[in-house]
Each structure stands twice: as C-alpha cells, then as structure tokens.
Coordinates of all heavy atoms in Angstrom, one line a residue:
F678 N 128.9 58.9 143.0 CA 129.1 59.4 144.4 C 129.6 60.8 144.2 O 130.8 61.1 144.0 CB 130.1 58.5 145.1 CG 130.1 58.8 146.6 CD1 129.0 58.6 147.4 CD2 131.3 59.3 147.2 CE1 129.1 58.9 148.8 CE2 131.4 59.5 148.6 CZ 130.2 59.3 149.4
G679 N 128.7 61.9 144.1 CA 129.1 63.2 143.7 C 128.9 64.3 144.6 O 129.2 64.3 145.8
V680 N 128.3 65.4 144.1 CA 128.2 66.7 144.8 C 127.5 66.6 146.1 O 128.0 67.0 147.2 CB 127.5 67.8 143.9 CG1 127.3 69.0 144.7 CG2 128.4 68.1 142.7
A681 N 126.3 66.0 146.2 CA 125.5 65.9 147.4 C 126.3 65.1 148.5 O 126.4 65.5 149.6 CB 124.2 65.3 147.2
Q682 N 126.9 64.0 148.0 CA 127.7 63.2 148.9 C 128.9 63.9 149.4 O 129.3 63.8 150.6 CB 128.0 61.8 148.3 CG 126.8 61.0 148.0 CD 126.0 61.4 146.7 OE1 126.5 62.2 146.0 NE2 124.9 60.7 146.5
A683 N 129.6 64.7 148.5 CA 130.8 65.4 148.9 C 130.4 66.4 150.0 O 131.2 66.6 150.9 CB 131.4 66.1 147.7
I684 N 129.3 67.1 149.8 CA 128.9 68.1 150.8 C 128.7 67.4 152.2 O 129.2 67.9 153.2 CB 127.6 68.8 150.3 CG1 128.0 69.7 149.1 CG2 127.0 69.6 151.5 CD1 126.8 70.2 148.4
E685 N 128.0 66.3 152.2 CA 127.7 65.6 153.4 C 128.9 65.0 154.0 O 129.1 65.0 155.3 CB 126.6 64.6 153.3 CG 125.2 65.3 152.9 CD 124.9 66.5 153.8 OE1 125.0 66.3 155.1 OE2 124.6 67.5 153.2
L686 N 129.9 64.5 153.2 CA 131.1 64.0 153.8 C 131.9 65.2 154.4 O 132.5 65.0 155.5 CB 131.9 63.3 152.6 CG 133.3 62.7 153.0 CD1 133.1 61.7 154.2 CD2 133.9 62.1 151.8
A687 N 132.0 66.3 153.7 CA 132.7 67.4 154.2 C 132.1 67.9 155.5 O 132.8 68.3 156.5 CB 132.8 68.6 153.2
R688 N 130.8 67.9 155.6 CA 130.1 68.3 156.8 C 130.4 67.3 157.9 O 130.8 67.8 159.1 CB 128.6 68.3 156.6 CG 127.8 68.9 157.7 CD 126.2 68.8 157.6 NE 125.7 68.9 156.3 CZ 125.5 70.1 155.7 NH1 125.8 71.2 156.3 NH2 124.9 70.2 154.5
A689 N 130.4 66.0 157.7 CA 130.8 65.0 158.7 C 132.2 65.2 159.2 O 132.5 64.9 160.3 CB 130.5 63.6 158.1
L690 N 133.1 65.6 158.3 CA 134.5 65.7 158.6 C 134.8 67.1 159.3 O 136.0 67.3 159.7 CB 135.4 65.5 157.4 CG 135.4 64.2 156.7 CD1 136.1 64.2 155.4 CD2 136.0 63.1 157.7
G691 N 133.8 67.9 159.3 CA 134.0 69.3 159.9 C 134.8 70.2 159.0 O 135.3 71.2 159.4
S692 N 134.8 69.9 157.7 CA 135.6 70.7 156.7 C 134.7 71.5 155.7 O 135.2 72.1 154.8 CB 136.6 69.9 156.0 OG 136.0 68.9 155.2
L693 N 133.4 71.4 155.9 CA 132.5 72.1 155.0 C 132.7 73.6 155.2 O 132.7 74.1 156.3 CB 131.0 71.8 155.2 CG 130.0 72.3 154.2 CD1 130.2 71.7 152.8 CD2 128.6 72.1 154.7
P694 N 132.9 74.4 154.1 CA 133.1 75.8 154.3 C 131.9 76.5 155.0 O 130.8 76.0 154.8 CB 133.3 76.4 152.9 CG 133.8 75.2 152.1 CD 133.1 74.0 152.7
R695 N 132.1 77.6 155.7 CA 131.0 78.2 156.5 C 130.0 78.7 155.6 O 128.8 78.9 156.0 CB 131.6 79.3 157.4 CG 132.3 80.4 156.7 CD 132.8 81.4 157.7 NE 133.7 82.3 157.0 CZ 134.1 83.4 157.5 NH1 133.7 83.8 158.8 NH2 134.8 84.3 156.9
D696 N 130.3 79.0 154.3 CA 129.3 79.5 153.3 C 129.5 78.6 152.1 O 130.5 78.6 151.4 CB 129.6 80.9 152.9 CG 128.6 81.5 151.9 OD1 127.7 80.7 151.4 OD2 128.7 82.7 151.6
C697 N 128.5 77.7 151.9 CA 128.6 76.8 150.8 C 127.2 76.8 150.1 O 126.2 76.5 150.7 CB 128.9 75.4 151.3 SG 129.3 74.2 150.0
R698 N 127.3 77.1 148.8 CA 126.0 77.1 148.0 C 126.2 76.3 146.7 O 127.2 76.2 146.1 CB 125.7 78.6 147.6 CG 125.2 79.4 148.8 CD 125.0 80.8 148.4 NE 126.3 81.6 148.8 CZ 126.6 82.7 148.3 NH1 125.9 83.4 147.4 NH2 127.7 83.3 148.8
V699 N 125.1 75.7 146.3 CA 125.0 74.9 145.1 C 124.0 75.6 144.1 O 122.9 75.9 144.5 CB 124.6 73.5 145.3 CG1 124.4 72.7 144.0 CG2 125.6 72.8 146.2
Y700 N 124.5 75.9 142.9 CA 123.7 76.4 141.8 C 123.4 75.3 140.9 O 124.3 74.7 140.4 CB 124.5 77.5 141.1 CG 124.7 78.8 141.8 CD1 125.6 78.9 142.8 CD2 124.0 79.9 141.5 CE1 125.8 80.1 143.5 CE2 124.1 81.1 142.2 CZ 125.1 81.2 143.2 OH 125.3 82.4 143.8
A701 N 122.1 74.9 140.9 CA 121.7 73.7 140.1 C 121.0 74.2 138.8 O 120.0 75.0 138.9 CB 120.8 72.8 140.9
I702 N 121.4 73.8 137.7 CA 120.8 74.1 136.4 C 120.1 72.9 135.8 O 120.8 71.9 135.6 CB 121.8 74.7 135.4 CG1 122.5 75.9 135.9 CG2 121.1 75.0 134.0 CD1 123.6 76.5 135.1
E703 N 118.8 72.9 135.7 CA 118.1 71.8 135.2 C 118.5 71.5 133.7 O 118.5 72.3 132.9 CB 116.6 72.0 135.2 CG 116.0 72.1 136.6 CD 116.1 70.8 137.4 OE1 116.1 69.7 136.7 OE2 116.1 70.8 138.6
G704 N 118.9 70.2 133.5 CA 119.3 69.8 132.1 C 118.1 69.2 131.3 O 117.1 68.9 131.9
E705 N 118.4 69.1 130.0 CA 117.4 68.6 129.1 C 117.9 67.3 128.5 O 117.2 66.3 128.4 CB 117.1 69.6 128.0 CG 116.0 69.2 127.0 CD 115.7 70.3 126.1 OE1 116.3 71.3 126.1 OE2 114.7 70.1 125.4
S706 N 119.2 67.3 128.1 CA 119.8 66.2 127.4 C 121.2 65.9 128.0 O 122.0 66.8 128.1 CB 119.9 66.4 125.9 OG 120.6 65.4 125.3
F707 N 121.4 64.6 128.3 CA 122.7 64.2 128.8 C 123.4 63.2 127.9 O 124.2 62.4 128.4 CB 122.5 63.7 130.3 CG 122.0 64.7 131.2 CD1 120.6 64.9 131.4 CD2 122.9 65.5 131.9 CE1 120.2 65.9 132.3 CE2 122.4 66.5 132.8 CZ 121.1 66.7 133.0
E708 N 123.0 63.3 126.7 CA 123.5 62.3 125.7 C 125.0 62.5 125.4 O 125.5 63.6 125.3 CB 122.8 62.4 124.4 CG 121.3 62.1 124.5 CD 121.0 60.7 124.9 OE1 121.7 59.7 124.4 OE2 120.2 60.4 125.7
A709 N 125.7 61.4 125.3 CA 127.2 61.5 125.0 C 127.4 62.2 123.6 O 126.7 61.9 122.7 CB 127.8 60.1 124.9
G710 N 128.3 63.1 123.6 CA 128.6 63.9 122.4 C 127.8 65.1 122.1 O 128.0 65.8 121.2
A711 N 126.7 65.3 122.9 CA 125.8 66.4 122.6 C 126.3 67.7 123.1 O 127.1 67.7 124.1 CB 124.4 66.1 123.2
A712 N 125.9 68.8 122.6 CA 126.2 70.1 123.1 C 125.2 70.5 124.1 O 124.2 69.8 124.3 CB 126.2 71.1 121.9
L713 N 125.5 71.7 124.8 CA 124.5 72.2 125.7 C 123.2 72.5 124.9 O 123.2 73.0 123.8 CB 125.0 73.5 126.4 CG 126.1 73.4 127.4 CD1 126.5 74.8 127.9 CD2 125.7 72.5 128.5
S714 N 122.0 72.2 125.5 CA 120.8 72.6 124.9 C 120.6 74.1 124.9 O 121.3 74.8 125.7 CB 119.6 71.9 125.6 OG 119.5 72.4 126.9
D715 N 119.8 74.7 124.1 CA 119.6 76.1 124.0 C 119.1 76.7 125.4 O 119.6 77.7 125.8 CB 118.6 76.5 123.0 CG 119.1 76.2 121.6 OD1 120.3 76.1 121.4 OD2 118.3 76.2 120.6
R716 N 118.2 76.0 126.0 CA 117.7 76.5 127.3 C 118.8 76.5 128.4 O 118.8 77.4 129.2 CB 116.5 75.7 127.8 CG 115.3 76.0 126.9 CD 114.0 75.5 127.5 NE 113.6 74.3 126.8 CZ 112.5 73.6 127.0 NH1 111.7 74.0 127.9 NH2 112.3 72.5 126.3
V717 N 119.6 75.5 128.4 CA 120.7 75.4 129.4 C 121.7 76.4 129.1 O 122.3 77.1 130.0 CB 121.2 74.0 129.5 CG1 122.5 73.9 130.3 CG2 120.2 73.0 130.1

C-alpha cells in the first residue's frame, strides 16, 4: 500500500499539496542485494 494509495488517501483527506508530482523511473531488476542497473 504505497505511493499511489498515499496520493489518493491524501486527496480524500483534503491534505494533498496543491502541486504534487511523481517522477517514475522504470526499473529493470528488483532482486534483493542487487545494485542499481546501468540504465536506471
């Protein structure tokens, strides 16, 4: 229950900042212990 849900909960509570932006970076590998991939 993360970022998208937090945004919508804040919106429902009337506490979402007037300017709210999400920068999404597409991942390649989410393996435990791995470093960031070169492209990321």
Side-chain angles (χ1 to χ4, degrees):
F678 191 64
V680 172
Q682 294 82 6
I684 290 165
E685 294 313 309
L686 180 57
R688 190 185 321 280
L690 295 171
S692 64
L693 188 69
R695 61 183 170 165
D696 181 357
C697 189
R698 288 175 263 161
V699 174
Y700 289 74
I702 300 173
E703 292 292 334
E705 182 173 10
S706 171
F707 296 89
E708 297 297 319
L713 291 177
S714 66
D715 291 341
R716 289 192 257 185
V717 169

